[in-house]
Amino acid sequence: MEPFVVLLPLFGALLAMPIARVGGPRAAEIATTALVGLACLQAWLLFSDVALGGHARTISLFTWISSGDFYADWAVRLDTLSAVMLVVVNTVSFLVHAYSIGYMHEDEGRPRFFAYLSLFTFAMLCLVTADNFLQLFFGWEGVGLASYLLIGFWFKKKSANDAAIKAFVVNRVGDFGFALGIFCVFYVFGSVRFDEVFSAVATNAAVTPWGASAGAPIRELTIHFLNWDLHALTVISVLLFIGAMGKSAQFLLHTWLPDAMEGPTPVSALIHAATMVTAGVFLVCRCSVLFEYAPNAAALVTFVGATTAFFAATVGLFQDDIKKIVAYSTCSQLGYMFFAAGVGAYGAAMFHLFTHAFFKALLFLGSGAVIHGMHHEQDIKKMGGVKSLLPLTHLLMVVGTIAITGVGIPGLKIGDLPIGTAGFVSKDMIIESAFAAGEAGKAFGYYAFVLGILAAVMTAFYSWRLIFITFWGPSRLPEKVKKHPHDVPNVMLWPLVPLAIGALFAGMAFYKDFIGSNADKFWNGALYSAADHAAPAHEPVAVDAHGAPVAGHESAHNEEAVDGADHGGGHHEFPAWVIWAPFFAMVFGTLAAAWQYLRGDPLRPGLLRPGGMIYAFLKNKWYFDEIYDFLFVKPALAIGRFLWIDGDGKTIDGVGPDGIASTVAAGARRMVKVQSGYMYHYAFVMLVGIAALITFIFFRLGGGR
């Protein structure tokens, strides 16, 4: 029965259109939603059995590819990491399906939309249950295809088509690196199966790359490329991370995410908040054993993640589109997850992925309710006073906001459980992990800690800015909207309730399992710990404050007393200011937003005024679109136009087929003129011909004498 957790959404995708033809669009909506709902129920049952019960297993369905020594099964891998992702994907997908019944009720393409949603869900489930890199790549590309279809769902809008193409192209850049990483895995290990690859790295087995005369222990193995000898695990890890950067919209490959808001709002909640964009984090955590022994690659993950968290937060400060504010917030939160994984706190990274799914899906779907109620207006500066029109939506959005900003009090516990919202519990763990990594001497640990604190300030500011400008203060709505706001149907509101509950309590409910005292039993080896798998070739590695391995960390840290930061596994004594820093960052950002937007005109210029250089820099998103347009788009168009017009048109076609054809045609036109139809023309030609022939004979005979 386990494979049905993956297959049920596929059935929905295949049946949506036929059912709609027989029973109408509503039948397709109900059928696809019900099938994903059954998959959701099964996902929670599997989570209880696999993650909480410790019954990890892999179910091989059939041999997918077999060629010589290479083979890859199609399997359903059920360990804690997969079980967590199954819960996240299926839960959010089910709620989004239900929400879409109300949100898309006026759209003529509803059956197609629900088919795309279910197809995306199936592809994502293939990704997270993969037992080998090839199956994972199938799911990886599947969600890319479904994302393209969903972003460009309103294909009659040029902006939607452009956004879909942009997302597809930018992700191909990352996926090229990912594909090279898989090729490199097979080249080095002779296999793409997780168990074989990860076991070889964990035991430091000797491997011989394909075609090489001799091998070496994998942790010391180098591969020769051009003139360089490169550390094999570092090359593999960096290439895999490039794929993760594209899919998870990390710095430099982030430009597609805000444009993807052109798709319907449920798409934003499903793909760009809770599921697809977290695939990169899942990949890094799945390959944790590789990154553990590739410290330079892990440092790159830390640097890119921290930079993304800071960069996206700065851009979110001045966005006016309600969905783009939440989109840049997603980008920033993904940065937190990545730098947590980079410093070795894989459990904290997955914990934030889990809690983030609740409050970010809540914020996106809440934004969709606002857009629906405001006659599809998305500019928050054209709103104001929406609280009185949509009171329940306002309440739910406030819940999402206090979760993402991390409302909670450090050190306040019930038993050993911290008291605070989901974002508080998981994000604070990440920030403290970065500080612990910095103390241990890990590259970019302190860098991630500082940028994480700064991003927390800005997160609180732009999150409350959205609430204050949209829901509070004087109304700036047009009269027709003010008098006749769209009612938000219950089918759009009830999915927000479980998300709100998760946003408030998921952090406390699952704290012990993900990063607390029960973490080792909960993860059951799904996340690699160098300390638990120490081999003679590698000295034991201590764990940080969250039970995650920290290479080079002195073992004495594991024996220190806990000072308000016992997160399971190892213990670490943090200075009080480190523990309280995220809290004060949240308070400072919130008060700054209140000072700016709750006094007088909420739209009055702030510290950074329009027309200033810094304001323009942030408003224009660090000019990345303009830079990429100058460096890549315009040169590519110029080269393409040259090859098309001058190369293909004038040279190849002009000299080749078109040139020959035009020459023959011109000759034919001249020859046609000879056939005039007049007898005297023909008689004249005959006389000239006879004269020429006689002259020729005369000269020939005369020359022969």
Side-chain angles (χ1 to χ4, degrees):
M1 292 297 291
E2 289 92 340
F4 281 99
V5 75
V6 177
L7 295 176
L8 285 171
L10 176 62
F11 297 157
L14 296 175
L15 296 174
M17 299 297 284
I19 289 175
R21 290 191 181 96
V22 175
R26 179 51 57 90
E29 295 170 351
I30 293 174
T32 52
T33 304
L35 288 169
V36 175
L38 290 174
C40 175
L41 176 62
Q42 189 177 7
W44 279 100
L45 293 175
L46 286 172
F47 179 81
S48 176
D49 180 45
V50 174
L52 302 180
H55 300 137
R57 55 195 179 275
T58 298
I59 302 166
S60 294
L61 301 181
F62 54 86
T63 298
W64 185 24
I65 298 176
S66 179
S67 177
D69 294 334
F70 175 82
Y71 73 97
D73 288 342
W74 191 278
V76 177
R77 184 184 184 94
L78 295 173
D79 58 7
T80 303
L81 196 57
S82 295
V84 169
M85 294 301 294
L86 285 174
V87 164
V88 170
V89 173
N90 280 309
T91 300
V92 174
S93 181
F94 170 61
L95 295 175
V96 167
H97 273 74
Y99 177 93
S100 299
I101 294 175
Y103 190 87
M104 302 292 290
H105 75 281
E106 296 178 347
D107 199 288
E108 295 179 355
R110 298 196 303 280
R112 178 168 58 92
F113 180 77
F114 278 82
Y116 289 168
L117 283 183
S118 294
L119 176 65
F120 169 82
T121 306
F122 163 72
M124 191 69 195
L125 295 174
C126 287
L127 190 160
V128 301
T129 58
D131 187 46
N132 56 74
F133 283 101
L134 201 60
Q135 183 183 343
L136 189 149
F137 190 73
F138 173 87
W140 194 272
E141 295 304 304
V143 295
L145 169 64
S147 173
Y148 169 79
L149 295 173
L150 286 166
I151 295 169
F153 175 76
W154 288 319
F155 56 85
K156 294 182 180 180
K157 289 174 58 180
K158 184 180 184 301
S159 57
N161 288 325
D162 291 345
I165 293 171
K166 186 175 183 180
F168 197 81
V169 171
V170 173
N171 272 273
R172 296 293 72 73
V173 175
D175 292 354
F176 179 68
F178 187 31
L180 289 178
I182 295 175
F183 295 154
C184 198
V185 167
F186 180 70
Y187 168 75
V188 171
F189 294 94
S191 173
V192 293
R193 297 183 68 245
F194 291 156
D195 288 341
E196 294 178 8
V197 173
F198 297 162
S199 176
V201 179
T203 59
N204 199 21
V207 297
T208 303
W210 184 79
S213 58
I218 182 59
R219 298 177 200 167
E220 290 78 41
L221 180 70
T222 59
I223 53 179
H224 189 75
F225 180 73
L226 298 179
N227 257 345
W228 299 302
D229 289 317
L230 305 171
H231 184 230
L233 289 181
T234 299
V235 172
I236 292 171
S237 300
V238 169
L239 289 173
L240 294 178
F241 177 60
I242 290 173
M245 286 175 63
K247 195 67 73 184
S248 295
Q250 292 300 283
F251 189 68
L252 300 181
L253 294 180
H254 66 277
T255 53
W256 66 270
L257 185 62
D259 288 24
M261 298 303 106
E262 287 291 337
T265 300
V267 173
S268 304
L270 177 62
I271 294 180
H272 310 120
T275 54
M276 188 188 82
V277 291
T278 63
V281 180
F282 168 81
L283 174 64
V284 173
C285 291
R286 172 63 80 196
C287 299
S288 54
V289 63
L290 303 180
F291 287 91
E292 277 297 285
Y293 298 108
N296 291 333
L300 176 65
V301 175
T302 306
F303 175 79
V304 171
T307 303
T308 304
F310 176 79
F311 154 76
T314 64
V315 176
L317 294 174
F318 296 108
Q319 295 300 305
D320 297 325
D321 186 309
I322 189 171
K323 287 172 64 177
K324 288 191 176 182
I325 296 172
V326 185
Y328 276 107
S329 171
T330 299
C331 193
S332 182
Q333 297 301 308
L334 289 166
Y336 278 102
M337 301 175 207
F338 272 108
F339 79 68
V343 301
Y346 304 106
M350 288 302 301
F351 191 32
H352 196 52
L353 184 157
F354 181 78
T355 61
H356 173 266
F358 289 102
F359 57 74
K360 190 51 63 66
L362 173 62
L363 289 170
F364 262 120
L365 295 182
S367 298
V370 173
I371 294 168
H372 183 275
M374 299 299 106
H375 296 264
H376 302 285
E377 178 60 64
Q378 296 184 202
D379 189 342
I380 62 173
K381 289 187 175 180
K382 297 179 181 179
M383 298 183 189
V386 176
K387 177 174 63 173
S388 60
L389 302 176
L390 303 173
L392 183 55
T393 301
H394 164 253
L395 176 62
L396 293 169
M397 287 287 284
V398 168
V399 169
T401 300
I402 65 174
I404 193 174
T405 55
V407 174
I409 301 178
L412 180 63
K413 294 186 177 183
I414 296 179
D416 57 351
L417 290 180
I419 305 301
T421 60
F424 163 77
V425 178
S426 59
K427 187 164 67 176
D428 281 23
M429 302 303 103
I430 290 176
I431 293 173
E432 291 167 12
S433 294
F435 182 82
E439 280 196 315
K442 294 198 76 171
F444 300 112
Y446 287 133
Y447 176 81
F449 172 76
V450 172
L451 292 195
I453 293 295
L454 294 176
V457 175
M458 292 182 283
T459 299
F461 183 88
Y462 65 66
S463 297
W464 285 110
R465 172 179 178 265
L466 186 155
I467 296 295
F468 295 152
I469 294 181
T470 304
F471 293 98
W472 296 23
S475 175
R476 296 175 297 279
L477 294 166
E479 285 300 319
K480 65 174 184 177
V481 178
K482 219 185 295 187
K483 291 180 180 178
H484 303 288
H486 278 172
D487 291 331
V488 179
N490 290 332
V491 73
M492 287 177 61
L493 289 178
W494 77 256
L496 275 62
V497 175
L499 293 173
I501 294 172
L504 289 175
F505 303 112
M508 294 182 287
F510 294 97
Y511 168 82
K512 283 186 178 180
D513 292 321
F514 277 84
I515 54 176
S517 57
N518 198 38
D520 288 341
K521 180 181 177 182
F522 176 77
W523 290 111
N524 194 23
L527 298 179
Y528 183 81
S529 169
D532 294 339
H533 299 81
H538 184 79
E539 294 182 2
V541 177
V543 293
D544 67 13
H546 307 290
V550 178
H553 199 293
E554 295 180 4
S555 59
H557 283 295
N558 295 323
E559 301 171 358
E560 291 178 351
V562 180
D563 182 16
D566 181 5
H567 307 141
H571 299 291
H572 193 92
E573 186 174 350
F574 290 99
W577 69 269
V578 172
I579 298 172
W580 283 87
F583 172 81
F584 286 115
M586 177 271 296
V587 171
F588 181 78
T590 302
L591 293 178
W595 177 265
Q596 175 65 30
Y597 300 108
L598 294 184
R599 298 184 314 115
D601 180 8
L603 301 185
R604 71 185 189 281
L607 182 63
L608 299 176
R609 297 173 178 270
M613 186 173 64
I614 297 178
Y615 180 91
F617 181 70
L618 299 181
K619 186 72 173 178
N620 288 283
K621 302 165 287 190
W622 291 27
Y623 293 104
F624 268 105
D625 284 331
E626 290 79 4
I627 292 171
Y628 284 177
D629 188 60
F630 176 77
L631 292 178
F632 302 114
V633 178
K634 287 182 179 177
L637 287 174
I639 293 171
R641 191 173 291 109
F642 170 78
L643 294 176
W644 166 40
I645 296 175
D646 295 322
D648 185 55
K650 294 182 179 179
T651 305
I652 297 176
D653 288 343
V655 176
D658 290 348
I660 295 172
S662 61
T663 301
V664 172
R669 283 192 296 271
R670 292 186 181 95
M671 292 296 294
V672 164
K673 293 179 180 179
V674 176
Q675 302 294 327
S676 65
Y678 294 109
M679 288 297 295
Y680 62 85
H681 286 172
Y682 298 155
F684 176 75
V685 171
M686 290 173 63
L687 289 173
V688 171
I690 291 171
L693 178 62
I694 292 173
T695 302
F696 173 75
I697 294 172
F698 176 78
F699 278 108
R700 288 286 294 176
L701 292 176
R705 290 177 182 177

